[in-house]
Coordinates of all heavy atoms in Angstrom, one line a residue:
E1 N 189.1 49.1 125.1 CA 188.5 48.0 124.5 C 187.3 47.5 125.2 O 186.9 48.0 126.2 CB 189.5 46.9 124.4 CG 190.8 47.2 123.6 CD 190.6 47.6 122.2 OE1 189.6 47.0 121.6 OE2 191.4 48.4 121.6
D2 N 186.6 46.6 124.5 CA 185.4 46.0 125.3 C 185.8 45.5 126.7 O 186.9 45.0 126.8 CB 184.8 44.8 124.5 CG 184.3 45.2 123.2 OD1 184.3 46.4 122.8 OD2 184.0 44.3 122.3
F3 N 185.0 45.7 127.6 CA 185.3 45.3 129.0 C 184.1 44.8 129.7 O 183.0 45.0 129.4 CB 186.0 46.4 129.8 CG 185.0 47.7 130.0 CD1 184.3 47.9 131.2 CD2 184.9 48.6 129.0 CE1 183.5 49.0 131.3 CE2 184.2 49.8 129.1 CZ 183.4 49.9 130.3
S4 N 184.3 44.0 130.8 CA 183.3 43.3 131.5 C 183.1 43.9 132.9 O 184.0 44.4 133.6 CB 183.6 41.9 131.7 OG 183.7 41.1 130.4
L5 N 181.8 43.9 133.3 CA 181.5 44.4 134.6 C 180.5 43.4 135.3 O 179.8 42.6 134.6 CB 180.8 45.7 134.5 CG 181.5 46.9 134.1 CD1 180.6 48.1 133.8 CD2 182.7 47.3 135.0
T6 N 180.4 43.4 136.6 CA 179.3 42.7 137.3 C 178.6 43.7 138.2 O 179.1 44.1 139.2 CB 179.8 41.5 138.1 OG1 180.5 40.6 137.3 CG2 178.7 40.8 138.8
T7 N 177.5 44.2 137.6 CA 176.8 45.3 138.3 C 175.5 45.4 137.6 O 175.0 44.4 136.8 CB 177.5 46.6 138.3 OG1 176.8 47.6 139.0 CG2 177.7 47.1 136.8
E8 N 174.6 46.4 137.9 CA 173.4 46.6 137.2 C 173.6 46.8 135.7 O 174.5 47.6 135.3 CB 172.6 47.8 137.8 CG 172.1 47.5 139.2 CD 171.2 48.7 139.6 OE1 171.3 49.8 139.0 OE2 170.6 48.5 140.6
Q9 N 172.9 46.1 134.8 CA 173.0 46.2 133.4 C 171.8 47.0 133.0 O 170.6 46.4 133.0 CB 173.1 44.9 132.7 CG 173.2 44.9 131.2 CD 173.2 43.6 130.6 OE1 172.8 42.5 131.1 NE2 173.7 43.5 129.3
Y10 N 171.9 48.2 132.5 CA 170.8 49.0 132.1 C 170.2 48.6 130.8 O 170.8 48.7 129.8 CB 171.2 50.6 132.2 CG 170.9 51.2 133.4 CD1 170.7 50.6 134.6 CD2 170.8 52.6 133.5 CE1 170.6 51.3 135.8 CE2 170.5 53.4 134.6 CZ 170.4 52.6 135.8 OH 170.1 53.4 136.9
W11 N 168.9 48.4 130.8 CA 168.0 48.4 129.7 C 167.5 49.7 129.4 O 166.8 50.3 130.3 CB 166.9 47.3 129.9 CG 166.0 47.1 128.7 CD1 165.4 48.0 127.9 CD2 165.4 45.8 128.3 NE1 164.6 47.4 127.0 CE2 164.6 46.0 127.2 CE3 165.6 44.5 128.9 CZ2 163.9 45.0 126.6 CZ3 164.8 43.5 128.2 CH2 164.0 43.7 127.1
V12 N 167.9 50.4 128.3 CA 167.6 51.8 128.1 C 166.7 52.0 126.9 O 166.9 51.3 126.0 CB 168.9 52.5 127.9 CG1 168.6 54.0 127.5 CG2 169.8 52.6 129.1
L13 N 165.7 52.8 127.1 CA 164.8 53.3 126.0 C 165.4 54.5 125.4 O 165.6 55.5 126.1 CB 163.4 53.5 126.5 CG 162.8 52.3 127.3 CD1 161.3 52.8 127.7 CD2 162.7 51.0 126.4
A14 N 165.8 54.5 124.2 CA 166.5 55.5 123.5 C 166.0 56.0 122.2 O 165.3 55.2 121.5 CB 168.0 55.3 123.5
D15 N 166.4 57.1 121.8 CA 166.0 57.6 120.3 C 167.3 57.5 119.5 O 168.4 57.3 120.0 CB 165.4 59.0 120.4 CG 166.3 60.1 120.7 OD1 167.5 60.0 120.5 OD2 165.8 61.1 121.4
S16 N 167.1 57.8 118.2 CA 168.2 57.5 117.3 C 169.1 58.8 117.1 O 170.0 58.8 116.3 CB 167.6 57.2 115.8 OG 166.8 58.3 115.3
Y17 N 168.8 59.9 117.9 CA 169.5 61.1 117.8 C 170.8 61.0 118.7 O 171.6 61.9 118.6 CB 168.7 62.4 118.1 CG 169.4 63.6 118.0 CD1 169.9 64.0 116.7 CD2 169.6 64.5 119.0 CE1 170.6 65.2 116.5 CE2 170.3 65.7 118.9 CZ 170.8 66.1 117.7 OH 171.5 67.3 117.5
I18 N 170.9 60.1 119.6 CA 172.1 59.9 120.4 C 173.2 59.3 119.5 O 173.0 58.6 118.6 CB 171.8 59.2 121.6 CG1 171.5 57.6 121.3 CG2 170.8 59.8 122.6 CD1 171.3 56.7 122.6
D19 N 174.4 59.8 119.9 CA 175.6 59.1 119.3 C 176.1 58.0 120.2 O 176.7 58.4 121.3 CB 176.7 60.2 119.0 CG 176.2 61.1 118.0 OD1 175.6 60.7 117.0 OD2 176.6 62.4 118.1
V20 N 176.0 56.8 119.8 CA 176.3 55.7 120.8 C 177.8 55.3 120.6 O 178.3 54.9 119.6 CB 175.4 54.5 120.4 CG1 175.7 53.3 121.3 CG2 173.9 54.9 120.5
L21 N 178.4 55.5 121.8 CA 179.9 55.2 121.9 C 180.1 53.7 122.3 O 181.2 53.2 122.1 CB 180.6 56.1 122.8 CG 180.4 57.6 122.4 CD1 181.2 58.5 123.3 CD2 180.6 58.0 120.9
A22 N 179.2 53.2 123.1 CA 179.3 51.8 123.6 C 177.9 51.3 123.8 O 176.9 52.0 124.1 CB 180.2 51.7 124.8
T23 N 177.8 49.9 123.7 CA 176.5 49.3 124.0 C 176.6 48.1 124.9 O 177.8 47.7 125.2 CB 176.0 48.7 122.7 OG1 176.8 47.7 122.1 CG2 175.8 49.8 121.6
T24 N 175.5 47.6 125.3 CA 175.5 46.3 126.1 C 174.3 45.5 125.7 O 173.3 46.1 125.4 CB 175.5 46.6 127.7 OG1 175.6 45.3 128.3 CG2 174.3 47.3 128.1
T25 N 174.5 44.3 125.6 CA 173.4 43.4 125.1 C 172.8 42.5 126.1 O 173.6 41.7 126.8 CB 173.8 42.5 123.9 OG1 174.3 43.4 122.8 CG2 172.8 41.6 123.4
Q26 N 171.5 42.7 126.4 CA 170.8 41.8 127.4 C 170.5 40.5 126.7 O 169.8 40.5 125.8 CB 169.6 42.5 127.8 CG 168.6 41.7 128.7 CD 169.4 41.3 130.0 OE1 169.9 42.2 130.8 NE2 169.4 40.0 130.4
K27 N 171.0 39.4 127.3 CA 170.8 38.1 126.8 C 169.4 37.6 127.2 O 168.7 38.2 128.0 CB 171.8 37.0 127.3 CG 173.3 37.5 127.1 CD 173.6 37.6 125.7 CE 175.0 38.0 125.5 NZ 175.4 38.0 124.1
V28 N 169.0 36.5 126.6 CA 167.7 35.9 126.9 C 168.0 34.7 127.9 O 168.7 33.7 127.4 CB 166.9 35.4 125.7 CG1 165.6 34.8 126.1 CG2 166.7 36.7 124.7
R29 N 167.6 34.8 129.1 CA 167.7 33.7 130.0 C 166.4 32.8 130.2 O 165.3 33.3 129.8 CB 168.1 34.2 131.3 CG 169.5 34.8 131.5 CD 169.5 36.3 131.0 NE 168.6 37.1 131.7 CZ 168.8 37.7 132.9 NH1 170.0 37.6 133.5 NH2 167.9 38.4 133.6
P30 N 166.5 31.7 130.6 CA 165.2 30.8 130.7 C 164.1 31.4 131.4 O 162.9 31.2 131.1 CB 165.7 29.6 131.4 CG 167.1 29.4 131.2 CD 167.6 30.9 131.1

C-alpha cells in the first residue's frame, strides 16, 4: 500500500514509455 519515507524525494524527468508502478508528489512550499 502507499507508504511514507523520510529521505531524498526524487524529482524525475521521464517519458511516457515507462510503466509507472508508483509515484511521489512534490508539494509547493513557501
Side-chain angles (χ1 to χ4, degrees):
E1 302 296 332
D2 298 353
F3 61 96
S4 297
L5 296 170
T6 299
T7 181
E8 291 183 346
Q9 182 183 22
Y10 263 24
W11 182 319
V12 172
L13 307 180
D15 65 37
S16 61
Y17 184 61
I18 62 174
D19 293 322
V20 179
L21 307 187
T23 63
T24 183
T25 298
Q26 173 63 52
K27 305 298 183 181
V28 181
R29 291 85 52 86

